[in-house]
């Protein structure tokens, strides 16, 4: 198969094109409302709703006493109106009777405090009692609905680990010990991996090991890292247990909703992704970030990476404001469409919202919804109808794949390790550098595949490795092999510093990449808060410098002033048939844009639309028989996109398409005769 023109790969859902839907919580409403709900869903074109996500207390009013009558009625109504169900197992939040009877299932915080019920997800992921109850419910739900005609997808729990990812209770401690015994086999191996010769921490047996609870000073970094790995695995095993119960009774695909976002980092989704029949993400525009739409694009690219490049599902997003930021901003005109099309451009073939009807009661009553409090006589409802039409117009892109020549190596474990305490500068935050590099590539009009550590990089011209603090030998070798074979790499400061045990790689930084980069760093020289240094090419740098001694690399830019005055700041090293670039500081935006432009040119990567301004986002999705160019204009001026073909949202055929400021265009590329009338309307 030609990699650049793959066959279509459809989500295993009973949909023709892009699925459209939302979370539907009919249990919050009287029965009379349900008929109106399904009628309006039909009117809007909603064809997939998540039900029974928080249904446990409704279905199992007392232990073992299951009552599906209401949910039956809802499922039947949905089916009668052509709406499919993304059916929750309902296990995400236990009913009060369960936590009252079993307070030992409640999670415990790092400081020993017990987390009370009253919100949601107040359960310890390692609790056998909770697991037993949850699997019993899952079994009942599966038995009851396995053959229901509305069922399209099983939705395990909800956002596993959103609130309870790390539990420090005694039951978790025992599970942690079992996990460690599995990983290390002998306590001596654990002692070596954790470096327990330091501070008199040597363990005599696994029984002495604890989770990294609050202590008198600083925690052992490898203990902390392993606890995060364990905690991610623990919830994955929870998912697997529920999925196994479902799969025993049904062939319908199983998934759960990931949280690939800027503020949650508790799951290592690289290890989770292969367990999903459909990769699904929940993503909300985060107006607290400096560039919220750059983060939307990044999260979508990560999710596509998790789906191994195949289409994925946006399980939750919001039409307007959320209710959990400090100031919950409404979306600006056109912002919702640009956000959704950004997700679709980057591989989403299902677009669903939290939630269908805005709640009247409960903690989320001021969260936007497809059907707002005001009802259908509202701008919100008009928006919903518009979104339905927009997604309809994009139906034909479903199953196509995104084209990218650049890979960005991203890793949750490196994130955990990088952001630990006790480092040279706590101003270095992994995600800041990852976001900055991704955003710079996007501003250059280049599409990026986000890839896992150790991934085969042969399909890419350039691999970008931002601040990959922790790296194992396999991953370092994959980057090296990519360059040796003729590729390019761009690696930024504080990469390759520790191995998978969080132990420093000695003999000069950046340990794992030293030979590839042809440099030897013997001291970190981080900058003070607000301190800036200049490079001899005019770039302003902050946060970080280091003493770089070239060992074969050519110096591309030097520090002028600051603690590394006169030393190398940017280097390029020929290695095998390729070359590796190193950046030993944090660039300002213009400097980063300039450098990324140079590296892209060196790698032979050209933007899809070279004349597009930096504020215009361009992505191409292709299949064997078709190619679609997505143009999303976040800027304040119109842009004329030179893409011959039919623009899907307006149905216009032309060689030049006007993309209004704040607007978008999706063009099916078609060869048009040169004398064809240009239509830039
Ligand atoms: C998600 C969650 C939904 C809802 C939504 C609000 O984290 O899965 O149930 O709470 O956020 O934005």
């Amino acid at each position: 198969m030609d990699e650049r023109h793959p066959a279509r790969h459809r989500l295993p859902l009973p949909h023709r094109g892009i699925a459209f839907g939302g979370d539907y919580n009919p249990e919050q409403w009287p029965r009379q409302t349900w008929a109106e709900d399904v009628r309006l869903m039909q009117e809007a074109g909603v064809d997939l709703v998540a039900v029974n996500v928080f249904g446990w207390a409704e279905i199992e009013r007392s232990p073992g006493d299951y009552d599906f009558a209401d949910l039956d009625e809802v499922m039947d109504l949905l089916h009668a109106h052509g709406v499919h169900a993304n059916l929750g197992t309902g296990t995400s939040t236990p009913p009060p009777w369960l936590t009252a009877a079993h307070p030992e299932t409640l999670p415990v915080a790092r400081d020993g405090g017990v987390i009370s019920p009253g919100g949601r997800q107040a359960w310890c992921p390692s609790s056998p009692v909770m697991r037993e109850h949850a699997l019993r419910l899952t079994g009942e739900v599966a038995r009851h609905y396995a053959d229901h005609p509305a069922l399209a997808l099983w939705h395990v729990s909800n956002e596993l680990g959103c609130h309870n990812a790390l539990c420090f209770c005694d039951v978790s401690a025992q599970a942690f010990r079992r996990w460690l015994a599995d990983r290390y086999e002998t306590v001596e191996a654990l002692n070596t991996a954790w470096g327990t010769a330091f501070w008199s921490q040597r363990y005599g047996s696994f029984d002495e090991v604890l989770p990294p609870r609050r202590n008198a000073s600083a925690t052992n970094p490898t203990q902390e890292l392993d606890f995060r790995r364990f905690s991610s695995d623990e919830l994955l095993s929870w998912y697997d247990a529920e999925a196994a119960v479902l799969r025993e009774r049904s062939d319908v695909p199983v998934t759960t909703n990931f949280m690939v976002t800027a503020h949650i980092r508790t799951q290592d989704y690289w290890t989770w992704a292969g367990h999903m029949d459909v990769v699904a993400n929940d993503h909300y525009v985060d107006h607290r970030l400096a560039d919220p739409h750059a983060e939307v694009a990044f999260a979508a690219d990560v999710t596509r990476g998790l789906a191994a490049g195949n289409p994925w599902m946006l399980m939750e997003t919001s039409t307007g404001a959320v209710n959990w930021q400090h100031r919950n901003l409404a979306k600006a005109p056109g912002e919702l469409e640009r956000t959704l099309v950004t997700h679709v451009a980057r591989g989403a073939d299902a677009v669903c919202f939290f939630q269908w009807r805005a709640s009247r009661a409960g903690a989320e009553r001021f969260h936007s919804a497809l059907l707002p409090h005001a009802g259908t006589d509202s701008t919100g409802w008009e928006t919903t109808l518009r979104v339905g039409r927009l997604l309809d117009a994009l139906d034909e892109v479903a199953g196509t794949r995104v084209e990218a020549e650049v890979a960005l190596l991203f890793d949750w474990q490196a994130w955990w390790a990088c952001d630990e305490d006790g480092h040279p500068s706590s101003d270095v935050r992994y995600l800041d550098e990852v976001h900055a590099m991704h955003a710079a590539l996007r501003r250059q009009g280049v599409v990026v595949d986000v890839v896992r550590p150790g991934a085969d990089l042969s399909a890419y011209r350039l691999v970008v490795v931002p601040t990959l603090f922790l790296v194992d030998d396999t991953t370092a070798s994959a980057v090296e092999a990519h360059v040796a074979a003729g590729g390019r790499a761009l690696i930024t400061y504080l990469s390759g510093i520790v191995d998978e045990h969080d132990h420093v790689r000695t003999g000069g930084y950046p340990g794992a990449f030293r030979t590839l980069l042809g440099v030897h760093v013997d001291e970190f020289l981080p900058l003070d808060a607000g301190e800036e240094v200049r490079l001899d090419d005019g770039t302003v740098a902050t946060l970080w410098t280091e003493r770089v001694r070239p060992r074969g690399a050519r110096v591309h830019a030097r520090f002028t002033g600051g603690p590394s005055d006169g030393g190398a700041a940017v280097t390029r090293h020929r290695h095998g048939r390729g070359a590796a670039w190193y950046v030993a500081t944090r660039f300002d935006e213009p400097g980063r844009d300039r450098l990324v432009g140079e590296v892209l040119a060196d790698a032979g990567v050209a933007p899809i639309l070279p004349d597009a301004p930096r504020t215009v986002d361009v992505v191409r999705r292709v299949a064997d028989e078709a190619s679609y160019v997505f143009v999303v204009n976040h800027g304040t001026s119109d842009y004329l996109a030179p893409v011959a073909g039919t623009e899907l949202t307006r149905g216009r055929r032309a060689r030049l398409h006007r993309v209004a400021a704040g607007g978008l265009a999706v063009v099916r590329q078609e060869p048009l005769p040169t004398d064809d009338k240009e239509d830039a309307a």
Side-chain angles (χ1 to χ4, degrees), residues 440-460:
L441 289 156
R442 176 171 162 267
R443 281 194 296 270
Q444 296 285 333
V446 163
V447 180
V448 176
D449 275 350
V450 176
V451 299
R452 66 169 72 213
D456 171 14
L457 301 165
S458 55
Y460 302 100

Side-chain angles (χ1 to χ4, degrees), residues 21 174 187 374 379 415-416 431 446 455 540 586 639 649:
Q174 278 169 20
V187 77
T379 318
W415 186 357
W416 299 337
L431 203 60
V446 163
V540 177
R586 182 167 171 86
Y639 167 61
T649 65

Side-chain angles (χ1 to χ4, degrees), residues 32 41 100 150 164 169 184 202 262 309 324 336 411 438 464 476 480 483 488 497 512 564-565 581 588 594 642:
Q32 308 82 278
M41 284 176 194
N164 63 346
C169 77
Y184 295 111
R202 178 169 304 286
W324 43 263
L336 174 61
D411 184 25
H438 183 272
V464 179
E480 192 273 336
V483 176
R488 297 290 182 275
I497 303 302
S564 333
D565 187 21
W581 293 72
D588 64 351
R594 219 169 28 241

Side-chain angles (χ1 to χ4, degrees), residues 54 120 158-159 282 284 316 324 354 364 367:
F54 293 98
R120 62 179 177 184
N158 189 59
E159 293 190 340
D282 291 355
Y284 295 87
E316 287 182 26
W324 43 263
F354 180 83
E364 296 183 321
H367 193 291

